[in-house]
Amino acid sequence: MTKQRQKRKLDHIEYALRLGKPETSSGFEEIRLINDSLPGFSLGDVDTTCVFMGKRLAAPLLINAITGGHPAVANINKSLARVARQTGVAMAVGSQMAGLEDPGLRQTYEVARQENPDGVLLANLSAGAPPEQAAAAVEMISANGLQLYLNVPQELAMREGDRDFNGVIDNIREVTSRLSVPVVVKEVGFGLSRETISALYNAGVRYVDVGGQGGTNFIEIEDMRSGQKSSEGVRNWGIPTAVSLLEGLSLELPILIIASGGLETGVDVAKALALGTGMAGMAKIFLKELTDKSEEGLINKITGIINELRLVMLMSGAKNLAQLVKKPVLVTGSVAEWMIRRGIDIDKYARR
Ligand SMILES: Cc1cc2nc3c(=O)[nH]c(=O)nc-3n(C[C@H](O)[C@H](O)[C@H](O)COP(=O)(O)O)c2cc1C
């Protein structure tokens, strides 16, 4: 089991990097911000900082869960953590089950905390993991929060994957109530629906990461691993990221919604923040930048995204994130069509 899990870590990195352009869109092209020709302040006045999990970040950005659990990936977590420290963004490690099963692998996760002692670091486990394991994962890296991932389509596409999803929401409730740090429930690229987010809120969860469709596709990755090919309908299963965000935001609950799944640019990040999300996460494009280039390359990528966010904030007339979320946003095309059918009001974004 442990050996298989370890090999899977390497497969996921190898195949994620081999994925072509996603077949489906995250929907951000249907979200439009409006030009403000008279912002009345200078670029130097724009403030992208925020507080997340009690700590100040340079911008609301998260290097999302990628890896850990094989000796060959320790260097990736080391580099990601160094970059997170230097750029002032948050980071999550990949699933820590391998480290819980084999203490010899703990270092592949611990290195992230060693490299970034004061930063925001999130632990990561399946949402089915019991409270004792959840607490141990947090302790392993002195995490500021714990991500619990939901990934039914991936498990089903995985030959060795789970087939029984009984009791997951009860487990999430239990973990959330017993843990000393906040729990973030995340998808891995299939999107959270309004109904799921509502159920998570009722279970005590206050942070959700929509992990929507339009970026890394784990059905394709599992197909590459198994040599089988899922049908097009199954391969394209999921809720586009922009749709999932609007579904979650429409509940108007006191929760922090994290945008992720196919985000690529500072413009995407600005659009997500303007709608009302509190953070933006990216996984594959950061991994690719690091492996194609270097730590320096990834630092440039992240500072480039923050700089673009800054430009878009100025062009929208928003000096800070609190002002950005009051700016008008247009939702058009297929994303708007989805909202109409689901009875979700999008005019309130366009007319504010
Ligand atoms: C190589 C790789 C490994 C991943 N491993 C995990 C994991 O262990 N736990 C998890 O919650 N998500 C994992 N993810 C999912 C990401 O955190 C993220 O939700 C997903 O890739 C969508 O974001 P993206 O389109 O920016 O890549 C992984 C992603 C990649 C690319």
Side-chain angles (χ1 to χ4, degrees), residues 9 12-13 16 64-67 94-95 124 147 149 186-189 211 215-216 218 260-263 281-284 287:
K9 306 286 174 183
H12 281 165
I13 288 177
N64 222 341
I66 297 174
T67 202
S95 173
N124 185 283
Q147 290 183 326
Y149 65 84
K186 75 185 283 276
E187 250 291 351
V188 301
T216 303
F218 266 98
S260 83
L263 271 72
M282 298 175 210
K284 194 198 121 177
L287 174 68

